[in-house]
Amino acid sequence: MQRLAPVVFAFAVVAPASAEHAGRVVIVEHTPAREVFVPAGDFTMGLGPELADEAERQCNELFAMQDMSDQQLGGSNGAVCQNYRAELDDMSLRKVTLSAFAIDRDEVTVAEFRACIASGACPLDPMIDGDERYLRDEWPMVNVTWDEAQQLCRWRGGRLPTEAEWERAARGTDGQLWPWGNAPRDTDFNHGRARNSTFVDLRRTPANLAQPFEFAGDPDASDGAAVLAPPGSYPWGEAPRHGGHGARDMAGNVAEWTADAWGLDERYRGYLDLPGCTLDDPDAENAHWHCINPTRDRSDGPWRVVRGGSWRQPAWQGHPYLRDPFNYLYDGHRRFAHIGFRCARSI
């Protein structure tokens, strides 16, 4: 695995204090800015039928490799992938116009969350209720609820990114299939693999029967990280400079909370009734959807949209136009060892 080196700049001192130092080159280490800036403009959000077909195929293949009961899944294998396909169909391509915003270059780390706790702005609960194995200062902060993620972002003067902002930062303006381009690079970002049915059987206990996301995947150390990796460790995980402006780990490492609500019914599942969206020419046979700063909020349901794939999920779930098949489990009040976050703000 290729690791990122510190960014450095070299420059000549043009006005030396003495002739002795004339022409000397000084190397200055420069820490990249916390945020990247995304200008106002349009991009294409969502996916077409061919990509939806492929995601449905991958979903069916995921479950074919495992022997999971209907009770564990909250529905049969076929029903999960069938519902997933319906969701993807509701996420059809559309032009989205966004105002300018800034988004974190990297996922929020444990050290940053500790600083928020020390300030009194964030609760201690994630450090107590979460799994202590994931509490390394240099790792992304996981086992954090949606509300706790929002608290840190507000402490910093920001908020969670909307789903549209997240996809724009990850995908750029030209509809790329991955943050870095269109070619897959399975060993150059931190992802997982489908669970082996033997391990599923070993972990099958009453305590986790209600948590089928446990069966979604296992770590895959072949990509260079057995579990989590420090944000920015994978150079190919950087989003496109053209339109994405350099946000990192937009595929893999940890999946990320977004601001948008999610729901089991059609109105809250895809983009069909997404606020801010209208048909550009309703009477035309080939009318196209156009959305302006879309986001979906609701107070009557706990689910929130999660994006980006993670260290425990198969690589295909890292596509920047996809959610994963288990978004119906992502209750914002719960903690997940594979979900973290990054912050954004309007500018």
Side-chain angles (χ1 to χ4, degrees):
M1 179 192 67
Q2 186 180 3
R3 297 281 181 177
L4 288 179
V7 177
V8 296
F9 293 93
F11 60 90
V13 179
V14 294
S18 68
E20 178 186 351
H21 298 109
R24 184 180 64 177
V25 174
V26 179
I27 305 298
V28 179
E29 187 171 305
H30 172 71
T31 302
R34 167 185 283 171
E35 300 174 318
V36 298
F37 296 92
V38 183
D42 301 335
F43 81 108
T44 300
M45 183 176 180
L47 69 164
E50 290 185 4
L51 293 179
D53 287 343
E54 176 60 17
E56 183 183 20
R57 185 191 69 78
Q58 295 272 18
C59 179
N60 285 315
E61 186 176 286
L62 173 69
F63 291 122
M65 297 174 67
Q66 305 171 59
D67 178 23
M68 293 187 283
S69 73
D70 292 357
Q71 183 182 7
Q72 290 159 340
L73 289 169
S76 69
N77 299 13
V80 169
C81 294
Q82 213 170 29
N83 290 337
Y84 184 49
R85 175 53 190 263
E87 179 177 357
L88 298 177
D89 287 340
D90 289 346
M91 295 167 64
S92 58
L93 294 167
R94 60 202 55 215
K95 182 172 79 170
V96 174
T97 301
L98 293 177
S99 302
F101 66 96
I103 190 168
D104 286 354
R105 180 183 297 276
D106 294 315
E107 297 145 339
V108 171
T109 64
V110 172
E112 290 176 279
F113 205 90
R114 287 190 197 278
C116 185
I117 293 171
S119 77
C122 289
L124 187 61
D125 302 57
M127 302 295 177
I128 300 171
D129 297 340
D131 189 328
E132 64 181 15
R133 292 176 299 175
Y134 302 105
L135 294 177
R136 295 188 185 180
D137 279 356
E138 69 275 17
W139 278 3
M141 184 67 195
V142 295
N143 287 313
V144 59
T145 68
W146 186 87
D147 284 321
E148 290 162 351
Q150 281 280 44
Q151 284 178 276
L152 181 136
C153 291
R154 289 180 183 132
W155 172 63
R156 282 178 30 189
R159 53 176 171 76
L160 287 173
T162 67
E163 183 178 22
E165 288 172 336
W166 192 97
E167 185 167 330
R168 166 73 163 80
R171 202 175 185 186
T173 55
D174 51 4
Q176 293 185 165
L177 302 182
W178 295 98
W180 52 83
N182 290 317
R185 303 187 64 90
D186 286 354
T187 61
D188 285 324
F189 73 103
N190 189 14
H191 59 80
R193 56 181 171 80
R195 298 219 70 183
N196 183 293
S197 59
T198 302
F199 293 109
V200 171
D201 289 335
L202 289 174
R203 291 177 61 106
R204 193 169 290 170
T205 67
N208 62 30
L209 284 179
Q211 300 178 8
F213 65 86
E214 289 267 351
F215 302 86
D218 281 321
D220 183 359
S222 67
D223 55 32
V227 189
L228 296 167
S233 296
Y234 293 78
W236 289 106
E238 184 168 322
R241 292 286 176 183
H242 174 59
H245 299 273
R248 302 188 290 199
D249 290 315
M250 300 301 282
N253 210 20
V254 295
E256 299 174 16
W257 292 116
T258 71
D260 284 49
W262 187 93
L264 295 170
D265 60 89
E266 195 174 79
R267 290 178 305 147
Y268 290 102
R269 188 176 58 194
Y271 305 150
L272 290 185
D273 291 320
L274 189 60
C277 296
T278 57
L279 286 170
D280 55 9
D281 186 357
D283 297 326
E285 186 176 337
N286 60 342
H288 298 286
W289 286 99
H290 181 205
C291 307
I292 299 175
N293 292 322
T295 185
R296 180 180 287 122
D297 193 14
R298 64 183 301 185
S299 57
D300 60 338
W303 302 282
R304 299 289 169 173
V305 173
V306 170
R307 285 301 202 104
S310 74
W311 59 270
R312 70 173 303 159
Q313 295 166 298
W316 64 273
Q317 292 181 28
H319 279 297
Y321 52 81
L322 285 180
R323 301 167 187 161
D324 70 61
F326 290 98
N327 212 120
Y328 67 91
L329 295 165
Y330 297 145
D331 180 332
H333 301 115
R334 297 179 66 184
R335 305 182 189 281
F336 303 88
H338 67 294
I339 297 178
F341 67 105
R342 72 182 72 217
C343 301
R345 62 184 177 89
S346 302
I347 54 176

